[in-house]
Every structure is written in C-alpha cells, then in structure tokens.
Amino acid sequence: MRKQLRIVGVETDVLRFAPGSPYSDAIHDFGPERGGCVIRVLTDAGVTGWAYSSFGMIGGGPRVVETIIQQELKPALIGQDPTFPKRIRADLWKAVEYHGVQGVASFAIAAVDIALWDVIGKAAGMPVYKMLGAFRERMATYNMCGWYYPNDADLAHYKRSITAALEEGFRGVKIKVGRGPVDEDVRRIRVARELCGAALPIMVDANQVFNRNEALRRGRIYQEMGCFWYEEPLPPQERDGYAELARELDIRIATGENEYTCYGFLELLKRGAADVVQPDNRRAGGVTEWMEISALADAFGVAVASHGGGVTNLHMLLAMPNSIYMESGSIKGDSSALEPLRMKDGEMLAPESAGMGSELKPDWVRKYRV
Ligand SMILES: [Mg+2]
C-alpha cells in the first residue's frame, strides 16, 4: 500500500428504474418511483471507491444526493487522503452544517464514507470487515418478505412471497403489520407461523404507525404469539414512548432505521428505548458512524441488526460481537454487484474481494443512468 493516497475526483450518476409492481407497509406505498445515486471517489493511485445510495421511493431524492455530493462535499474531498475517514467526516459535517447533517445530507455523507472504505480495502487488498476488526465469518440473516400487496385479501401473494423466501434458504422472515385492524395482524402472523414452522423467527414491523396505547395493546398480542422482535411501533422522535414500550413488553423492541448519527442512537440507548438497534447505512452515516453506533449499543448491552441488506451492511455486522441479524431481500438475480452475496444454511458468508464489495457492474450503471 502506498504511503499516501490523494482523492483526485468525485463522479456521480443518477439512476432511475422502470416502475416495479406495487407493495406496501403500514405507511409507505412502494413501486412506482425507484432510483439512486452512484458515487465514485477517484484517487491518484488508480484505486476507485464506489458506493450507491438507493431510494425505494421519493423520485427526486437521488438528484438531491448528487447535488450535495457535487456542490458541497466534493470541494472538501479533493486532495484529502481517503484513508482518513474520521477526519473527512468532520470536514463533511462542516461542509453541510448550514442545512444540517441529518436527512438527505446524511445519505450523501454515508455514500462518501462507504466509498472511502472501499478505497481503503482495495488499497490494502483486504475485505473491509477484516480491516474493521472481524468478529465472525457468517452472519445470520432473515428475509423481509411479508409485505402488503394490492388485491390480496386471501393473502395468496403474501403466502407466495414467504414461501419463496423459505425455499431460497432463509431461516427467518419479517412481516409488515399495522396497516389494518389487529385481527388482520393476527391472521398474517398465524399464516407466517404455519409456513415457517415453530422454530424460525418471525419479526413484525409496524413502520411507525401506532400511538403509544395502540403500540402497547398490539405489542402484547405480538409477544403472546411468539414474534421475535417488534419493529418501529412509533414514530422515531417518540423516544420516551419507545422506552415505555421496552419497559412494559418482554418482546424485543427494534428500531433505528430512521435515526441519524451515533448521537441520535445515544438518545435511544440512554432511555433504554430499544433492545435491538437497526442503523440504516444511508441515514445512519456510513461505515464509520455505523461502527460507533454498534459499539455504543454493545456498551449498553443492546444488539444490532442492519436495516436493509447487501454487502455494504454485511461488513460491519461481521465486525461486531453484538450483531444478531442482517436484513435481506432475495439475493437471486442481483445483476448489479461484481461479487454476489452467498448464503449457506441461512447465513450470509463473508465477502472475499478487497474493499466494500460496493463496486457496480458498469453496464448495469449505464443501463439505468438518467
Ligand atoms: Mg422497518
């Protein structure tokens, strides 16, 4: 590895995909608007760091991320040594201070940080989970498959989706709850349990839809039905409500996909407001921030699981002793990644290539570039 590297360029592409088939959770309707922003950090050593910030909805999001990267972050990046991600994070926070480091700015900062770690791993010739200090070589994973689908009163589509995940080899599923009355939740959980059998974990995710009373009332039912965790019962800002639920219920309270930075997570942890924290590697702030969040959680005796999947979540999970689950969709037919994820016995295997594994196939990027 050369003694010093320099960032000499920052390239971005906005991607847009054709509308997909619609699906929903308690508050979101997905399908019509999907896209993302690709970032490439170029160095004087010829090593390029890649990252991709995806948006499952909000058609304008990727363009905003690109604008923040190009107009606000790039000037702070050019000339820096990419092997100094903590120093660079401090500079990027200054660069966006006027509008704040949370929200879409955090998506942009996270993408830069992931790309920096891709450079670091590639320059050293090692997968990033080892550079972070590896703890394990495989990570338990579950499939987010129990969505709400249109015209699915008989739950046929819902059943097909769970069955497909189990056939693919996943040994745990997450299902959405809270969009309808409690009887419907009970029916959805029963159907999932029939398909999964007694042993596999079933996580339920309410996507912020309840108030405290309803969250508690339904939480007791999910708990009684043996669900593994109860995710995002309340809006993220209601941290005292989360603390109340965590005190009142024995089922694990999982949350964090809408928290930003380690300071946001500290507010949760200080209140005892979560049993499992779920940093999202776009909102939370990137690899550097993610590692600090999970270390904080570890000190509070709290487990960590990723919000979302893919290789850019896998590296940090492999490097933390308190990580319990990676979230994933189907890993079949991913045409974008150079090194596809591999699953064995329901666990994701450690990536073998150097870097973050975040480099994308050039023809895939070309195909969807706006
Ligand atoms: Mg969720």
Side-chain angles (χ1 to χ4, degrees), residues 156-172:
H157 193 159
Y158 172 83
K159 285 180 198 164
R160 273 202 309 280
S161 173
I162 294 174
T163 304
L166 297 173
E167 283 173 1
E168 191 178 343
F170 285 94
R171 295 192 181 167

Side-chain angles (χ1 to χ4, degrees), residues 174 176 205 207 231-232 257 307:
K174 188 159 82 189
K176 299 300 189 185
D205 186 358
N207 291 91
E231 179 172 328
E232 268 203 319
E257 67 180 80
H307 174 240

Side-chain angles (χ1 to χ4, degrees), residues 10-227:
V10 178
E11 297 176 347
T12 45
D13 291 310
V14 169
L15 309 187
R16 186 176 293 272
F17 306 107
S21 37
Y23 58 97
S24 304
D25 61 33
I27 66 165
H28 303 101
D29 296 313
F30 296 102
E33 293 188 300
R34 296 176 306 129
C37 180
V38 179
I39 175 171
R40 287 177 297 274
V41 172
L42 314 181
T43 66
D44 62 351
V47 178
T48 299
W50 286 68
Y52 175 60
S53 188
S54 73
F55 283 76
M57 60 190 302
I58 315 264
R63 187 66 78 194
V64 180
V65 170
E66 176 177 62
T67 303
I68 292 172
I69 290 172
Q70 287 296 342
Q71 297 193 8
E72 299 181 5
L73 305 188
K74 186 176 172 179
L77 287 167
I78 298 295
Q80 293 244 31
D81 184 335
T83 64
F84 282 70
K86 293 197 188 86
R87 186 169 75 196
I88 290 174
R89 175 179 58 181
D91 291 342
L92 299 187
W93 278 38
K94 271 189 214 135
V96 301
E97 179 278 332
Y98 190 78
H99 55 73
V101 302
Q102 301 191 343
V104 192
S106 198
F107 283 63
I109 291 170
V112 169
D113 189 76
I114 293 166
L116 296 179
W117 276 101
D118 193 35
V119 170
I120 293 168
K122 283 171 172 168
M126 284 172 80
V128 165
Y129 79 97
K130 289 189 174 172
M131 309 209 64
L132 297 172
F135 183 83
R136 62 181 99 236
E137 287 182 303
R138 340 166 118 209
M139 190 68 231
T141 186
Y142 70 89
N143 191 285
M144 175 55 248
C145 52
W147 300 93
Y148 291 91
Y149 304 98
N151 309 314
D152 198 34
D154 62 356
L155 296 182
H157 193 159
Y158 172 83
K159 285 180 198 164
R160 273 202 309 280
S161 173
I162 294 174
T163 304
L166 297 173
E167 283 173 1
E168 191 178 343
F170 285 94
R171 295 192 181 167
V173 301
K174 188 159 82 189
I175 65 169
K176 299 300 189 185
V177 291
R179 195 172 177 96
V182 65
D183 295 353
E184 192 181 319
D185 291 351
V186 168
R187 183 166 161 240
R188 291 167 68 81
I189 295 167
R190 278 206 186 115
V191 165
R193 182 54 74 201
E194 275 164 30
L195 295 170
C196 289
L200 299 191
I202 296 172
M203 291 79 163
V204 291
D205 186 358
N207 291 91
Q208 318 173 22
V209 76
F210 301 135
N211 62 27
R212 282 193 206 186
N213 292 335
E214 189 66 6
L216 194 52
R217 189 167 83 92
R218 296 213 195 189
R220 290 198 178 107
I221 292 165
Y222 306 148
Q223 173 172 295
E224 205 55 43
M225 296 184 80
C227 297

